[in-house]
């Protein structure tokens, strides 16, 4: 090996609005279930990747500029690589990201990533119940490992269309009867009474999966203590809530020393962009947490799927892509 071979490769890493961003190479692409591809990502220069905690996700930036969010599902202790898994959405339902990953990405492909960010953290508890549906296993996988390492009591019910469509069964199989595999074609819909049960002291429920599963689990846990249930969604719930009227509001930007009027037909994010102010965003539907912004004054009208009940009550942050103001004015730390 020559001396040139030993030189470190140049870094593509930069911090954007306090967030890590870098080019990564697809080191491996593996089929882990029917319609599910796993990608192993490494920074192109071989530099260590940032630390992350179970529940974290990253932005994957396609060459076309398309941005999609995927949960990290590898080992948080591995600073050399990140693993994600992507379900191929059916034709007509995909927004382009999953089709590109499955059809166009191969080992050696270079992609841009941002993150990680985490609004689905595993809070300390004595007991956990994990409920995963389909590709919703991805954030749960690392949570199971963390709960095990912490010595907590835990169990998981993992549902899918069929055994063949369910990823990472081999990794979960090492945990024995604490894992309840629930293929719908063999067992029907998950029996939440039998698997989740009733509210127990010091118990948190973490659920990720399709909308139908989330609604069923939310209904089942409606009488549990606030924030005992933590969910992560694939799609925004903003269209499912009671219609909220948009009114014009004033937004003061403390760092900029200026005030922006946000019309009724614009989000706060859009109004700031129209003023030429660079604000990081991604999903624009209140799901990813990229545009989370500190609130210095005023009461936000929260419409996101990111903040917990406790976080909403504190009114310290808001997602400016969807949330507005209960009054006439907000002061933001921008």
């Amino acid at each position: 090996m020559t001396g040139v071979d030993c030189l470190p490769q140049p870094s593509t890493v930069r911090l954007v609005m306090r967030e890590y961003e870098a080019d990564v190479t697809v080191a491996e692409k593996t089929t882990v279930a029917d319609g599910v591809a796993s990608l192993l990502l490494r920074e192109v220069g071989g530099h260590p990747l940032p630390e992350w905690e179970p529940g974290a996700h990253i932005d994957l930036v396609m060459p076309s500029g398309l941005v999609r969010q995927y949960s990290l599902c590898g080992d948080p202790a591995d600073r050399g690589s990140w693993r994600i898994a992507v379900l191929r959405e059916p034709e007509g339902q995909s927004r382009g990201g999953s089709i590109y990953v499955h059809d166009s990405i191969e080992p050696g492909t270079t992609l841009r990533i941002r993150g990680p960010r985490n609004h689905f953290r595993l809070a300390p508890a004595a007991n956990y119940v994990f409920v995963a549906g389909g590709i919703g296993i991805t954030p749960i996988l690392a949570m199971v490992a963390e709960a095990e390492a912490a010595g907590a009591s835990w169990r998981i019910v993992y549902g899918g269309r069929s055994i063949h469509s369910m990823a990472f069964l081999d990794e979960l199989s090492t945990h024995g009867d604490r894992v309840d595999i629930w293929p719908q074609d063999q067992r029907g819909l998950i029996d939440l009474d039998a698997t989740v049960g009733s509210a127990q002291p010091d118990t948190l429920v973490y659920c990720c999966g399709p909308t139908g599963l989330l609604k069923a689990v939310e209904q089942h846990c409606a009488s549990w203590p606030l924030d005992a249930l933590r969910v992560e969604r694939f799609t925004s719930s903003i269209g499912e809530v009671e219609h909220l009227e948009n009114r014009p509001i004033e937004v003061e930007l403390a760092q900029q020393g200026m005030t922006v009027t946000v019309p009724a037909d614009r989000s706060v994010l859009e109004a700031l962009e129209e003023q030429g102010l660079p604000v990081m965003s991604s999903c624009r539907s209140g799901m990813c947490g990229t545009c989370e912004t500190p609130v210095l004054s005023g009461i936000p009208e929260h419409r996101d799927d990111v903040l917990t009940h406790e976080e909403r009550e504190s009114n310290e942050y808001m997602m400016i892509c969807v949330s507005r103001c209960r009054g006439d004015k907000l002061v933001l730390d921008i």
Side-chain angles (χ1 to χ4, degrees):
M1 182 178 294
T2 67
V4 173
D5 292 331
C6 296
L7 290 174
Q9 297 299 306
S11 175
T12 65
V13 174
R14 65 190 180 104
L15 293 177
V16 181
M17 296 287 286
R18 304 187 301 272
E19 188 164 71
Y20 177 88
E21 182 173 324
D23 286 339
V24 294
T25 299
V26 178
E28 296 177 13
K29 180 181 180 181
T30 309
T31 298
V32 291
D34 287 351
V36 181
S38 172
L39 304 181
L40 193 69
L41 309 173
R42 295 194 174 104
E43 198 274 326
V44 294
H47 300 87
L49 293 162
E51 295 180 351
W52 61 278
E53 297 177 347
H57 66 268
I58 59 171
D59 287 345
L60 198 63
V61 185
M62 320 294 176
S64 66
L66 190 70
V67 180
R68 293 292 179 263
Q69 291 78 41
Y70 298 107
S71 296
L72 293 170
C73 59
D75 179 1
D78 181 3
R79 299 289 301 278
S81 64
W82 282 346
R83 183 176 69 171
I84 62 172
V86 181
L87 171 68
R88 185 187 182 101
E89 298 287 349
E91 296 290 339
Q93 296 182 28
S94 172
R95 296 178 297 157
S98 70
I99 289 176
Y100 180 82
V101 169
H102 279 260
D103 292 352
S104 300
I105 289 180
E106 299 295 340
T109 299
T110 298
L111 300 164
R112 194 74 176 167
I113 56 93
R114 290 198 300 257
R117 66 184 72 95
N118 197 345
H119 293 280
F120 194 45
R121 285 185 175 86
L122 189 67
N127 307 289
Y128 298 99
V129 179
F130 300 110
V131 184
I135 199 63
I137 190 61
T138 49
I140 299 295
L141 203 60
M143 290 184 174
V144 166
E146 180 167 301
E148 176 73 6
S153 173
W154 64 269
R155 50 195 169 86
I156 177 175
V157 55
Y158 175 20
R161 295 188 311 276
S162 70
I163 284 290
H164 303 294
S165 70
M166 300 169 70
F168 306 118
L169 290 176
D170 54 340
E171 296 183 26
L172 289 169
S173 66
T174 61
H175 297 294
D177 59 8
R178 282 181 291 179
V179 180
D180 193 352
I181 303 302
W182 206 285
Q184 187 174 345
D185 61 346
Q186 298 177 29
R187 303 182 68 181
L189 297 178
I190 295 173
D191 183 343
L192 297 178
D193 288 331
T195 56
V196 176
S198 57
Q200 299 293 325
D202 302 318
T203 298
L204 296 179
V205 179
Y206 280 80
C207 179
C208 183
T211 300
L213 175 64
L214 294 183
K215 286 183 176 179
V217 174
E218 286 173 331
Q219 182 177 358
H220 180 84
C221 295
S223 63
W224 288 46
L226 285 175
D227 289 340
L229 171 63
R230 317 290 175 92
V231 302
E232 185 165 68
R233 303 177 187 277
F234 296 154
T235 57
S236 172
S237 66
I238 192 167
E240 302 172 11
V241 299
E242 181 181 351
H243 177 68
L244 297 171
E245 181 183 358
N246 288 350
R247 298 177 294 101
I249 59 174
E250 298 294 311
V251 176
E252 180 182 334
L253 310 177
Q255 294 182 31
Q256 300 292 329
M258 63 183 291
T259 298
V260 175
T261 298
V262 181
D265 63 347
R266 296 283 191 278
S267 68
V268 176
L269 173 64
E270 290 168 337
L272 299 190
E273 289 177 333
E274 289 173 0
Q275 296 295 318
L277 298 170
V279 181
M280 285 198 64
S281 67
S282 184
C283 74
R284 294 176 176 262
S285 58
M287 292 178 55
C288 71
T290 306
C291 67
E292 182 179 51
T293 301
V295 178
L296 301 179
S297 179
I299 302 177
E301 183 181 74
H302 297 289
R303 304 181 182 183
D304 64 274
D305 290 308
V306 173
L307 299 176
T308 65
H309 174 80
E310 189 174 82
E311 289 168 338
R312 289 186 175 203
E313 288 295 306
S314 75
N315 290 316
E316 293 180 356
Y317 298 91
M318 66 180 289
M319 306 304 150
I320 60 174
C321 64
V322 292
S323 298
R324 298 184 74 83
C325 180
R326 292 184 184 176
D328 297 321
K329 183 176 179 179
L330 291 167
V331 181
L332 302 181
D333 191 10
I334 295 178

